[in-house]
Structures are given as C-alpha cells and as structure tokens.
C-alpha cells in the first residue's frame, strides 16, 4: 500500500503528451491552449470616451462651450476641438483631436445651444490608447485552461482559430453480476449501476465525452471482452469494481494478460484503497473500487489530474482554508481519509452525515471534502483545514 502522494508521483511520472489540433475559438471552452496568444493591436486601439458627454479642453471648463459635432461610437471624429469648443460624444467613441477631457452629460447644462459644466471637478474620462494591452503583449499562455473569461480575450485579439491539446479518449466499464442499468428495476440482490454515469458525468464536467462500454460480468471472458473493446482506440480506460480481493475480482489478472503493466494496486486512502493504476505503451488504465464514493473520490484525486496533465494542464485544486465548526474524530488512522463536508452560514466546515463508501447520497449535501492524515485521529473545532471543492 502506497500513500496518495506516492501514487500521484507514479502517475505524474507516466505522463505523455497527446498532440494538438486547431479548432475554432468558439468551440474551445474547457480545452487547454497549446500556443501562446499575443495581442495583434493596442487596446483600446484609440483614445476612447468612457462616458456619454462632451469632449473639450480642461482649461475651458469654466467657459461656455460651442458644440462642433456629434460623435457616435464607431464614427471617426471630423473636427478638431479648439478654445471654448466641444463635441458631443458617446461612450466608446474616439476622442477628437484637441480634447483632453470628457465632461459627463449629467454634469452639464445646455444654455441656448451652448454647453456649460456645472460641477466643481471632473476626471478625464478617457481610456487611453494601449492602456489595457500593447500590440504584441502576451495575453494567454500555452497551458491555460480556457474558461468563459478567456473566450472574449481570444475574440478581442482576433484569434479565431486556436491550437489546443487534443482531448483524451476515455472508455468506461462497470463490472459486477449484481448490476442492472438505471432504467431497470433491480431484483433481489441486484443494484443499479450508478458508477458508469457518475464517471461519465465527472468526465463531462471536464469537457470530455466518455465512451460507455457496458457492464462486464464477473467472469474472465466477459471482463476480457469488455476490456478489449475499451482498449481499442482509447487513451484511457476507467473500470469500476472487481479490483478488491474478492473471489470474483479478477480484473488485475486480465490486465496483466492484456499486457498492461500495473504500477500500483492499492493506496493508503479511505475511501478507495483498492485503486489500481496501469499503463500499456501510450494507454492508461484505472481500476476504481466499486463503491460509488470510492470511485467518485479517486476520480477527483488521481484520474482528473492525470487527464488534465495529458492535455497539457497542471491542475492544482484551489483549497479553501476554513475553520472546523465541530470536532471530528475517527478511530483508525492507518490511511489518509477524505470526508464529505458542507460550509455553514458562518463559513465553518461541517461534516455531512456519511455512512461510508457506499453512501453516495451523502455527497449530494457536500460542498467539498476535507482530509485527515495518516496517524491523525482528531480535527479540533476551530482548526483550519483545506477544503477541496467538488
Ligand atoms: P467491488 O469493488 O466490485 O467489490 O464492489 C464493491 C461494492 O460496490 C459492491 O457493493 C458493489 O455492489 C458496488 N458496486 C460495484 N459496481 C458498482 C456500480 N457500477 N454502481 C454502483 N455500485 C457498484
Ligand atoms: Mg464486483
């Protein structure tokens, strides 16, 4: 049994890169940039009015101003503003030559067609050319995860096709004679297969459409067939169940037969001890424990960072540092333990009711997870813990 950190190191050391592709930027949400993006212009590209008002000279603010023209956004000014003159200007329009200040329309009075500034002071209200970005500035680095806020940046620099890492092709298998699919009614001793859809949903949250292979029966032939189908044209196989020490848990045996080298077979983490990781040339394999919480948590801890790494992104979950709202105790301390928690109105960490690794319903009430290290049995009330959001 190795620690979570040792397991992750093994995974990290096995990483390869998958290659890249060019795609329209509108389709790039959730993808990882494989090129640096530079600005192709100054931003703003011209001195731009920040308000609706009158463009004039600061030194003339005490005087009546003659209006030369109206400058809507998108129209170039045609007149230079001189002494005691102004041009009416809209937000986003180019500031005319000669003007150094835009007075807000709310701060003016129109007296017989002439404009008078009626406040004490004003700021310039001009967004200066290049104040946000200069031509050639690096705006997005290679390795950036494209979220909603990156899309307008690509648009503003005219980057309509982007080079991104190709997505990982993932196949999902469930194992177990007791499983029926969600639309079926379980007979005595049967349960619904919730792991396959759970893993597919976790993949979907990362923008990956997994390929569902089906349920492998607890016999070598069925397991072998499903595994062969899954390994065909995929980069990664996620299989749940059949990896513990039970009589029908022969997945590791079949993996070896298929030439998959097993890099670890169990980890000192609760839930998820019998987590198996293997590799065959450029293909990766995870055998996740059948219990739904174990499978969910190990996807978060080990599978997700590897998937992102394969796509060129160094995923570092943002940990919120918050105080425990109650004391937490456990009896055994041989493994690092993950506990589902919610954050109360006071910003304190509260464990949710949790009966163990089969209790996936508990996670419906969880905002995140906290961990308690090997050798530790207590988290004190008020102790600051890292909350890993899910
Ligand atoms: P296993 O890892 O195959 O020994 O399974 C451990 C527990 O998880 C057993 O109670 C199984 O019935 C349950 N289990 C296995 N696979 C699934 C699945 N796909 N969906 C829900 N529960 C499962
Ligand atoms: Mg099983």
């Amino acid at each position: 049994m190795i620690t979570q950190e040792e397991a992750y190191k093994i995974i990290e050391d096995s990483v390869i890169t998958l290659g890249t592709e060019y795609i329209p930027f509108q389709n790039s949400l959730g993808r990882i940039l494989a090129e640096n993006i530079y600005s192709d212009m100054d931003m703003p590209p011209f001195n731009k009015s920040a308000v609706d008002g009158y463009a004039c000279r600061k030194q003339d603010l005490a005087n009546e101003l003659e209006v030369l023209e109206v400058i809507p956004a998108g129209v170039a000014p045609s007149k230079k503003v001189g002494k005691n003159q102004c041009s009416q200007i809209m937000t986003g329009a180019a500031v005319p030559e000669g003007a150094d200040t835009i007075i807000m329309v709310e701060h003016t009075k129109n007296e017989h067609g002439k404009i008078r500034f009626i406040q004490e002071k004003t700021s310039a209200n001009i967004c200066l050319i290049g104040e946000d970005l200069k031509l050639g500035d690096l705006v997005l680095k290679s390795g950036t995860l494209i979220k909603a806020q990156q899309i307008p940046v690509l648009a503003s620099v005219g980057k309509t096709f982007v080079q991104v890492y190709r997505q990982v092709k993932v196949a999902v298998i469930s194992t177990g004679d007791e499983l029926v699919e969600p639309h079926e009614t379980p007979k005595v001793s049967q349960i619904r297969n919730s792991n396959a859809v759970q893993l597919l949903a976790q993949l979907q949250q990362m923008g990956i459409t997994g390929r569902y292979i089906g349920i492998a029966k607890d016999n070598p032939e069925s397991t072998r067939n499903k595994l062969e189908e899954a390994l065909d044209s995929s980069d990664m196989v996620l299989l749940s169940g059949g990896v513990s020490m039970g009589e029908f848990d022969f997945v590791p045996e079949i993996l070896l037969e298929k030439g998959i080298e097993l890099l670890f077979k169990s980890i000192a983490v609760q839930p998820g001890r019998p987590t198996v990781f293997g590799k065959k040339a450029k293909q990766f394999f995870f055998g996740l424990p059948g219990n739904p919480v174990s499978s969910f948590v190990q996807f978060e801890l080990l599978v997700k960072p590897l998937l992102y790494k394969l796509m060129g992104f160094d995923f570092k979950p943002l940990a919120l540092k918050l105080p425990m709202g109650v004391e937490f105790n456990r009896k055994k301390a041989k493994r690092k333990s993950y506990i589902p928690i919610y954050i109360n109105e006071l910003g304190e960490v509260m464990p949710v009711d949790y009966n163990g690794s089969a209790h996936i319903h508990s996670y419906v009430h969880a905002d995140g997870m906290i961990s308690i290290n090997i050798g530790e049995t207590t988290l004190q009330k008020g102790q600051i813990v890292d909350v890993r959001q899910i």
Side-chain angles (χ1 to χ4, degrees):
M1 209 157 51
I2 56 172
T3 64
Q4 181 191 332
E5 292 71 25
E6 287 165 337
Y8 189 63
K9 180 80 177 67
I10 291 172
I11 289 174
E12 217 174 12
D13 288 346
S14 73
V15 163
I16 52 167
T17 40
L18 288 179
T20 62
E21 59 185 336
Y22 258 106
I23 59 166
F25 84 109
Q26 296 99 322
N27 301 347
S28 69
L29 190 69
R31 303 295 293 272
I32 319 295
L33 269 178
E35 61 172 333
N36 285 333
I37 308 290
Y38 299 94
S39 181
D40 70 340
M41 52 159 61
D42 290 329
M43 288 283 244
F46 48 85
N47 289 333
K48 193 174 82 173
S49 177
V51 295
D52 292 320
Y54 296 89
C56 62
R57 307 182 331 159
K58 194 169 182 166
Q59 67 214 78
D60 298 338
L61 284 183
N63 309 335
E64 270 196 336
L65 305 173
E66 171 202 354
V67 183
L68 297 175
E69 63 174 335
V70 179
I71 313 167
V75 175
S78 64
K79 295 188 172 123
K80 181 175 173 177
V81 174
K83 187 173 166 45
N84 294 337
Q85 293 179 323
C86 70
S87 286
Q88 191 174 359
I89 190 165
M90 306 302 149
T91 304
V95 176
E97 216 187 309
D100 57 10
T101 300
I102 319 291
I103 48 178
M104 292 171 74
V105 69
E106 301 91 312
H107 297 168
T108 61
K109 214 160 78 182
N110 189 325
E111 280 172 355
H112 323 294
K114 296 254 181 169
I115 298 303
R116 186 170 275 286
F117 181 57
I118 51 169
Q119 293 277 311
E120 301 260 297
K121 287 192 287 205
T122 179
S123 30
N125 294 321
I126 296 173
C127 305
L128 294 174
I129 180 168
E131 76 176 16
D132 297 343
L133 283 179
K134 298 266 185 299
L135 168 72
D137 276 356
L138 177 65
V139 289
L140 297 172
K141 271 197 203 145
S142 181
T144 299
L145 170 65
I146 302 175
K147 298 192 266 184
Q149 59 267 44
Q150 274 79 25
I151 299 282
V153 173
L154 292 170
S156 65
V157 301
K159 189 70 186 162
T160 52
F161 277 82
V162 284
Q163 193 176 17
V164 294
Y165 287 97
R166 105 165 152 71
Q167 275 173 314
V168 189
K169 293 186 205 135
V170 187
V172 172
I173 311 176
S174 294
T175 70
D177 283 347
E178 75 281 28
L179 299 180
V180 296
E181 293 294 13
H183 64 274
E184 297 176 83
T185 307
K187 300 199 185 80
V188 179
S189 311
Q190 293 184 323
I191 56 161
R192 289 196 174 100
N193 170 18
S194 61
N195 284 352
V197 287
Q198 174 179 297
L199 289 167
L200 291 166
Q202 285 176 296
L203 290 167
Q204 196 73 59
Q205 278 188 327
M206 301 177 62
I208 297 173
T209 306
R211 179 164 60 103
Y212 178 48
I213 304 295
I215 300 171
K217 292 283 179 194
D218 284 326
N219 65 61
E221 296 69 43
S222 177
T223 308
R224 195 179 290 121
N225 287 343
K226 291 287 184 217
L227 194 63
E228 277 171 6
E229 193 184 334
L231 284 169
D232 184 37
S233 67
S234 59
D235 304 302
M236 188 186 285
V237 176
L238 301 179
L239 174 147
S240 75
V243 289
S244 343
M245 298 298 281
E247 203 171 322
F248 299 100
D249 296 334
F250 35 65
V251 167
E253 217 176 286
I254 308 271
L255 294 176
L256 291 175
E257 189 192 303
K258 288 278 136 220
I260 295 170
E261 186 194 355
L262 299 186
L263 300 178
F264 59 78
K265 284 198 271 190
S266 75
I267 53 174
V269 181
Q270 182 187 36
R273 182 171 46 82
T275 296
V276 175
F277 175 64
K279 205 181 161 196
K280 180 187 182 183
K282 292 182 168 178
Q283 290 180 300
F284 297 85
F285 178 89
F286 277 99
L288 301 167
N291 270 314
V293 178
S294 309
S295 174
F296 182 88
V297 171
Q298 293 308 327
F299 182 97
E300 284 296 316
L301 299 183
L302 300 178
V303 182
K304 188 173 177 176
L306 174 59
L307 285 168
Y308 271 136
K309 271 240 161 233
L310 292 171
M311 297 190 291
F313 177 58
D314 195 16
F315 172 70
K316 294 263 185 302
L318 187 66
L320 297 175
K321 295 206 179 289
L322 294 172
M324 289 295 292
V326 289
E327 184 177 298
F328 177 84
N329 287 297
R330 64 170 179 167
K331 291 198 186 80
K332 294 188 197 153
K334 283 217 171 86
R335 290 189 271 160
K336 182 174 186 179
S337 198
Y338 279 84
I339 304 140
I341 60 92
Y342 69 95
I343 300 166
N344 71 14
E345 321 76 64
L346 302 171
E348 295 167 330
V349 174
M350 305 293 288
V352 300
D353 283 339
Y354 173 58
N355 303 330
S357 59
H359 193 194
I360 194 65
H361 299 90
S362 66
Y363 267 72
V364 170
H365 309 290
D367 297 315
M369 323 186 269
I370 56 170
S371 64
I372 175 161
N373 273 325
I374 293 174
E376 286 175 15
T377 50
T378 305
L379 297 171
Q380 306 289 347
K381 180 172 163 42
Q383 182 176 339
I384 302 295
V385 290
D386 285 348
V387 174
R388 186 175 174 131
Q389 287 170 287
I390 50 165

